[in-house]
Amino acid sequence: MYSTDEQITWRCAASGKARSYLVKVLDRTLTSFDLVIYQGSRLEKTQQLQTIQIAIVENTPQGLKGVGRTEDGETISAIAFKKSLDFEVKHSLFGDATGRCERNITLN
């Protein structure tokens, strides 16, 4: 394997009936990422509710899983890369949301 200055990060979004979610930067080399929660099924800036930190608890070639809690104590699980670029968020109160991740590249 060769060394490169290329750092690969991901942008992931998922939508459900009651909530939408956005990860602006998902770096698989870190231990956590921020998840922005929006009210409704669309990512509208005016509908942003809160940003929570998701701790990565599993990070393998078969996928990434993270967990966190909202300000009200509701549990949120985020699953990425289980099937290709799929992204799924499971919210204990508002159900599931599905979407995808796209690759971002930043050069150091």
Side-chain angles (χ1 to χ4, degrees):
M1 184 167 223
Y2 60 91
S3 177
T4 179
D5 288 336
E6 182 180 66
Q7 177 185 4
I8 300 172
T9 60
W10 300 89
R11 179 184 184 276
C12 304
S15 296
K17 291 182 181 179
R19 295 287 183 267
S20 300
Y21 307 90
L22 176 65
V23 179
K24 293 178 183 175
V25 178
L26 173 56
D27 183 339
R28 294 186 79 165
T29 65
L30 301 178
T31 59
S32 66
F33 58 89
D34 289 337
L35 179 72
V36 184
I37 303 171
Y38 296 85
Q39 183 165 338
S41 61
R42 299 177 64 176
L43 297 173
E44 295 184 28
K45 288 184 180 186
T46 60
Q47 298 298 314
Q48 184 175 331
L49 297 173
Q50 61 184 288
T51 300
I52 65 168
Q53 188 171 66
I54 300 291
I56 298 173
V57 296
E58 181 179 314
N59 190 358
T60 68
Q62 290 76 35
L64 177 145
K65 181 177 181 180
V67 293
R69 289 199 179 274
T70 66
E71 294 169 354
D72 296 328
E74 299 148 359
T75 302
I76 292 192
S77 298
I79 302 161
F81 313 115
K82 188 172 180 182
K83 293 181 181 177
S84 185
L85 299 177
D86 291 352
F87 181 62
E88 182 178 358
V89 177
K90 297 177 180 283
H91 191 291
S92 63
L93 185 60
F94 293 103
D96 296 351
T98 57
R100 302 203 36 97
C101 293
E102 60 185 30
R103 183 177 169 174
N104 289 329
I105 301 174
T106 54
L107 299 176
N108 293 337

